[in-house]
Amino acid sequence: MKIVPQKKQHYINNKDFTALLIAYHNGPDTKQGRRAYNKIGKVFLLLADKIANGGSWRGYSPDIKEEMINDAVYMMIKNLNKYNHEKFDNPFSYFTSVTINIYRQSINKMKLNMDRNVRFDFLSANGLEYLIVDDSFGGKINHSQVTKH
C-alpha cells in the first residue's frame, strides 16, 4: 500500500484573499464590499497573530505581542487601498511584509524608550538630572516626560 502525502493546507489561501480584495476594491460601499472588508479584517488578525507567534517574536511578553498585533492590523487596514491587485498577484506576501516591518518598528520604539528610561534613572540616581536637557520640553525634563511615546 502506497501512502500519498496530503497537500498542506495553508492558513490563508492566496486566491481567496485576492478575491476578497477585488470584491472590496470594486465596491467598498456595497453590501458585498462591506462583507469582504469584514473578512479581510479577520484575515489580517490571523496573519498578524501567526507572525507574532512565530520564531522571531517568541521571547516577547503577551502584552508586547498584543500591542504589536494591534499596530500591524492598523497599518494593514491603512495600506489596504495601496495594494494594487492588478499589478501584484500575491497579497499574502505584501501584507506579511507590512506586518514584519511594523513589528520591527514597534520593537525598536520600545528599545529606544527603555534606553531613555535607563539613562534617566542612572542620571537621577546619581544626582545629575541637570544633564538631561531637551529643547522640545523647555529645558530640564522629568521622568514622566521621558516615558511618553
Side-chain angles (χ1 to χ4, degrees):
M1 181 161 139
K2 186 175 182 181
I3 298 175
V4 179
Q6 292 182 354
K7 189 175 182 181
K8 186 176 179 181
Q9 193 76 320
H10 296 287
Y11 65 98
I12 296 175
N13 184 333
N14 220 7
K15 289 181 182 179
D16 294 342
F17 191 26
T18 302
L20 286 173
L21 291 170
I22 290 170
Y24 171 72
H25 284 294
N26 287 341
D29 294 332
T30 64
K31 188 175 183 179
Q32 184 181 10
R34 287 190 298 271
R35 219 178 295 134
Y37 184 74
N38 288 335
K39 289 180 182 178
I40 290 169
K42 290 177 185 178
V43 170
F44 286 167
L45 279 171
L46 180 63
L47 179 66
D49 186 57
K50 283 281 193 177
I51 293 172
N53 291 313
S56 297
W57 315 104
R58 275 214 180 137
Y60 296 100
S61 73
D63 294 337
I64 291 173
K65 284 184 183 181
E66 186 176 338
E67 185 177 335
M68 289 173 16
I69 289 169
N70 291 337
D71 289 346
V73 170
Y74 170 75
M75 286 306 292
M76 284 189 280
I77 290 170
K78 191 173 176 183
N79 288 321
L80 181 60
N81 291 326
K82 291 182 182 179
Y83 179 77
N84 184 353
H85 62 275
E86 295 171 354
K87 189 174 180 183
F88 304 109
D89 64 343
N90 194 351
F92 176 78
S93 176
Y94 177 80
F95 289 107
T96 297
S97 297
V98 169
T99 302
I100 291 171
N101 288 334
I102 292 302
Y103 286 178
R104 287 181 184 147
Q105 288 175 5
S106 296
I107 295 301
N108 288 337
K109 183 174 69 172
M110 285 183 242
K111 285 180 181 178
L112 180 65
N113 286 336
M114 283 192 325
D115 288 346
R116 285 181 183 161
N117 290 339
V118 167
R119 283 185 297 219
F120 184 84
D121 290 342
F122 172 77
L123 291 173
S124 61
N126 293 311
L128 302 171
E129 292 95 351
Y130 62 89
L131 293 176
I132 304 172
V133 176
D134 188 353
D135 292 334
S136 64
F137 292 115
K140 190 174 177 181
I141 62 173
N142 60 35
H143 191 270
S144 64
Q145 292 169 320
V146 172
T147 57
K148 288 184 181 178
H149 290 76

